[in-house]
């Protein structure tokens, strides 16, 4: 039971982390994962409810994440805006939009149960998430596209000089990366928690950022990291159920664990060299 | 000047997008904006309420600015404000006289600084990214303060809030019937003080130097660890004061809500203010006053246009997105 819960709790973090690995490997930071996750959770339930199908809800959440990712990518790559500021803006916008949306659509304050017809099988989503992580590892480390993505993040000048379109690579890596965070959000609301609240992501977007560092930008290691964070998430509910400690104490666990894990692994982590630096044609 | 124009541009874009969103969701955009931007000026109670709302935002905005100047993305003001408020509650628990007020500041600021020190030390000695660590500290503070507020310090008469500040220790409204207290002037005074600190003092010089070029600063004898610690320490002080004031200068309850309603979101509002104000303490003061007006307006919008309060948060997110786009020549060079 604890094992299943650990795996289920790991999935949203894994999806967002794998997406962020893709974006950061191409050279773009997106700290707006939290907001993208929230928006994904909201859009998933909204569209799933209206369309009467959870799968359509998931697809819609993914598509909205892709669009917002294109926006972040365009700001980071073409306009050369501040990537951290744009990420914070995404988080603020997501928090506002979802809290507003839940009230405007369903006329309830901050909490909406996902209707049964919009639910998606949690195990199917779990398998899909692992497949995404594996595929991302394969693409990044075993294909020409992966080489182009990594080159754009390590040394964009050199990549550009051998004919790689750094701009396009970064734009699409960012967009696909963001879409995975929203996908993770839809998993939260349509499969795992079957509810959407105005703070349903509860820091998972930032835990995913920690996972990226923990994994040293490797999607397979991100699975291990997500499972560690998922374990503490699941454990916190278990301790609560068994009345070991007050629920406030157990709720702190995932965050304390994240801090400790990140503090422990730093030093061996090596970010892409051109991370966060806009590329400019000479 | 350019900064002000950019902020106005971002406001214009946000208002335009917001009008579309409001219209789609079935609200009257004109009524929404009328109640948000005009109604607050129609009564002195509303104006003073807007200023009271701006008070903590000025202080948490300064926290973010102090980090930004040193090239750090300190988004921990949220949790540090919770801890400051908890400090005021603890002081009310310990002292039943006017002594509770100075004690509030001592305990509140100490707790907030302690909360800021964890990410600072992790950054300085372990290289942990401050974005992740400050958010984790926010969540830990969230659950810790909720627990303390609903157990040790809960109010037996009113379970939805903590014990109150002793009457003699409260900062009371300057005008009867309004909510504006001397706390506002504390915050307003903090802005030029931080400005002076950043622009004229040795510490400010070191923070700025490290923010512009950490390598050059280190060679010049300014270690990164000292910069991180000073910047987070000072930031903890302003956020701590914000938290204390949300209890000690918060009529009529003078307590902390157990769901943290009177401190929730203030740290993120501060980030919004700091970005609108371009990281300049005086700009932040103006921006926070504007945000206070928007949020006061949002309360009227809720009543008059029946639009959810959070509409205003969405507008602010869009504004910051535009600001990010407009930051071509970075004011925070990396």
């Amino acid at each position: 039971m604890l094992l299943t819960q650990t795996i289920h709790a790991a999935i949203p973090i894994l999806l967002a982390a794998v997406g962020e690995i893709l974006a950061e490997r191409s050279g773009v930071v997106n700290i707006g994962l939290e907001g993208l996750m929230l928006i994904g959770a909201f859009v998933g339930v909204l569209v799933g409810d209206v369309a009467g199908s959870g799968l359509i809800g998931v697809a819609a959440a993914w598509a909205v994440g892709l669009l917002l990712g294109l926006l972040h990518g365009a700001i980071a790559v073409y306009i050369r805006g501040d990537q951290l500021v744009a990420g914070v803006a995404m988080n603020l916008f997501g928090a506002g939009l979802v809290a507003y949306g839940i009230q405007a659509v369903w006329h309830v304050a901050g909490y909406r149960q996902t209707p049964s017809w919009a639910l998606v099988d949690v195990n199917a989503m779990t398998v899909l998430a692992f497949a995404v992580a594996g595929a991302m590892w394969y693409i990044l480390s075993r294909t020409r596209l992966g080489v182009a993505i990594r080159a754009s993040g390590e040394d964009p000048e050199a990549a550009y000089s051998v004919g790689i379109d750094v701009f396009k690579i970064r734009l699409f890596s960012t967009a696909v990366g963001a879409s995975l965070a929203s996908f993770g959000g839809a998993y939260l609301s349509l499969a795992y928690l079957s509810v959407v609240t105005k703070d349903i992501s509860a820091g998972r977007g930032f835990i995913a950022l920690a996972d990226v560092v923990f994994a040293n930008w490797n999607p397979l290691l991100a699975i291990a990291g997500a499972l560690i964070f998922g374990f503490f998430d699941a454990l916190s509910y278990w301790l609560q159920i068994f009345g070991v400690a007050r629920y406030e104490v157990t709720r702190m666990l995932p965050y304390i664990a994240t801090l400790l894990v990140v503090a422990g692994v730093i030093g061996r982590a090596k970010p892409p060299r051109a991370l966060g630096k806009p590329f400019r044609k000479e | 000047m350019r900064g002000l124009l950019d902020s106005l541009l971002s406001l214009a874009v946000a208002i335009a997008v917001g009008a579309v969103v409001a219209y789609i969701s079935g609200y009257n955009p004109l009524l929404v904006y009328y109640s948000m931007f005009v109604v607050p000026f129609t009564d002195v109670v509303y104006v003073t309420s807007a200023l009271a709302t701006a008070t903590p935002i000025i202080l948490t905005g300064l926290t973010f600015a102090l980090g930004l100047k040193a090239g750090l993305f300190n988004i921990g003001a949220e949790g540090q404000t919770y801890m400051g408020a908890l400090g005021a509650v603890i002081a009310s628990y310990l002292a039943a006289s006017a002594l509770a007020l100075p004690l509030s500041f001592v305990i509140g600021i100490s707790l907030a600084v302690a909360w800021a020190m964890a990410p600072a030390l992790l950054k300085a000695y372990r290289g942990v990214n401050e974005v992740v660590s400050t958010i984790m500290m926010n969540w830990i503070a969230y659950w810790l303060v909720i627990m303390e507020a609903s157990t040790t310090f809960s109010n037996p008469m009113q379970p939805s809030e903590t014990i109150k500040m002793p009457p003699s220790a409260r900062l009371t409204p300057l005008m009867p019937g309004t909510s504006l207290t001397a706390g506002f002037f504390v915050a307003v005074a903090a802005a030029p003080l931080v400005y002076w600190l950043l622009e004229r003092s040795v510490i400010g010089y070191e923070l700025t130097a490290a923010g512009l070029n950490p390598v050059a600063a280190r060679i010049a004898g300014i270690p990164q660890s000292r910069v991180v610690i000073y910047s987070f320490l000072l930031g903890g002080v302003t956020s701590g004061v914000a938290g204390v004031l949300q209890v000690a200068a918060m009529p009529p309850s003078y307590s902390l809500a157990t769901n943290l309603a009177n401190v929730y979101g203030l740290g993120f509002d501060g980030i919004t203010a700091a970005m609108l104000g371009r990281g300049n303490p005086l700009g932040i003061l103006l921006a926070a006053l504007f945000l206070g007006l928007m949020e006061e307006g949002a309360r009227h919008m809720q009543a008059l246009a029946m639009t959810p309060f959070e509409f205003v948060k969405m507008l602010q997110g869009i504004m910051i997105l535009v600001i990010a786009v407009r930051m071509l020549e970075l004011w925070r060079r990396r």
Side-chain angles (χ1 to χ4, degrees), chain A residues 30 36 63-75 90 170-171 174-179:
Chain A
N30 182 1
L36 289 161
V64 168
L66 192 73
L67 284 176
L68 292 170
L70 281 173
L71 177 66
H72 184 79
I75 291 172
M90 191 66 77
R170 285 186 167 183
L171 179 68
T174 309
V176 172
S179 75

Side-chain angles (χ1 to χ4, degrees), chain A residues 71 79 81-82 84 86 88-89 92 97 99-100 103 202 207 246 248-249 251-252 255-256 259 263-264 266, chain B residues 21 25 27 73 122 126 128 133 136-137 139-140 143-144 147 151 272 308 310-311 314 321 324-325 328 332 334:
Chain A
L71 177 66
I79 310 178
D82 191 302
L84 291 184
V88 167
L92 293 171
L97 175 76
Y100 169 78
Q103 280 203 37
I207 294 180
R246 285 187 62 91
E248 292 97 339
V249 176
R251 286 295 183 84
M252 289 178 210
Y255 310 113
I256 297 173
L259 269 184
I266 290 282
Chain B
V21 174
S25 17
Y27 305 109
F73 227 70
L122 285 172
R126 299 290 303 158
V128 174
S133 58
M136 295 304 122
M137 292 304 286
W139 280 98
I140 298 168
W143 289 112
L144 177 70
M147 177 170 71
T151 56
T272 307
E310 278 81 4
F311 181 76
M314 194 181 58
L321 204 58
V325 170
L328 303 185
R332 187 177 69 95
R334 272 172 294 139

Side-chain angles (χ1 to χ4, degrees), chain A:
Chain A
M1 263 307 274
L2 188 58
L3 180 68
T4 350
Q5 282 180 354
T6 295
I7 294 171
H8 287 165
I11 297 306
I13 295 163
L14 177 62
L15 285 167
V18 166
E20 182 69 6
I21 287 173
L22 174 64
E24 293 200 5
R25 276 292 180 118
S26 82
V28 177
V29 181
N30 182 1
I31 61 168
L33 301 179
E34 183 84 2
L36 289 161
M37 213 181 244
L38 263 177
I39 293 172
F42 170 68
V43 170
V45 175
L46 176 62
V47 175
D49 185 359
V50 173
S53 153
L55 287 180
I56 296 178
V58 172
W62 179 83
V64 168
L66 192 73
L67 284 176
L68 292 170
L70 281 173
L71 177 66
H72 184 79
I75 291 172
V77 177
Y78 291 102
I79 310 178
R80 295 193 297 273
D82 191 302
Q83 298 176 16
L84 291 184
V85 174
V88 167
M90 191 66 77
N91 289 332
L92 293 171
F93 173 70
L97 175 76
V98 172
Y100 169 78
I102 290 174
Q103 280 203 37
V105 176
W106 295 297
H107 305 287
V108 291
Y111 179 96
R112 165 76 182 182
Q113 198 74 37
T114 305
S116 59
W117 57 84
L119 290 176
V120 180
D121 181 41
V122 65
N123 292 318
M125 292 276 278
T126 302
V127 172
L128 187 59
F130 282 113
V132 166
M136 192 65 75
W137 172 81
Y138 182 80
I139 291 169
L140 282 175
S141 58
R142 293 285 182 274
T143 65
R144 285 185 67 86
L145 177 63
V147 173
I149 293 170
R150 284 184 288 135
S152 302
E154 289 291 337
D155 194 339
E157 283 80 15
Y160 192 78
S161 68
V162 296
I164 295 171
D165 189 340
V166 174
F167 297 99
K168 218 172 263 168
I169 291 272
R170 285 186 167 183
L171 179 68
F172 287 110
S173 299
T174 309
V176 172
S179 75
L180 291 182
S182 293
F183 186 68
Y187 167 88
L188 279 178
S189 62
L190 295 174
Y192 178 46
L193 301 173
S194 46
V195 65
V196 57
T197 69
K198 60 182 179 177
D199 51 8
I200 190 171
S201 46
R204 288 182 180 87
F206 291 96
I207 294 180
L209 284 178
D211 190 21
V212 170
V213 178
F214 172 86
N216 205 8
W217 289 265
N218 177 340
L220 290 185
L221 285 176
I223 296 178
L227 286 172
I228 294 176
F229 299 122
F231 170 74
F232 284 102
D233 206 353
L235 183 69
S236 89
Y237 284 95
W238 265 62
L239 294 176
Q240 194 178 317
I241 289 164
F242 290 118
V244 176
R246 285 187 62 91
Y247 80 97
E248 292 97 339
V249 176
T250 71
R251 286 295 183 84
M252 289 178 210
L253 263 183
Y255 310 113
I256 297 173
T258 303
L259 269 184
L260 294 179
V261 169
V262 174
V265 297
I266 290 282
R268 69 170 179 80
K270 198 168 145 289
R273 262 191 299 156
L275 184 59
K277 297 193 187 96
F279 175 62
R280 196 187 289 257
K281 263 184 269 189
E282 292 307 320

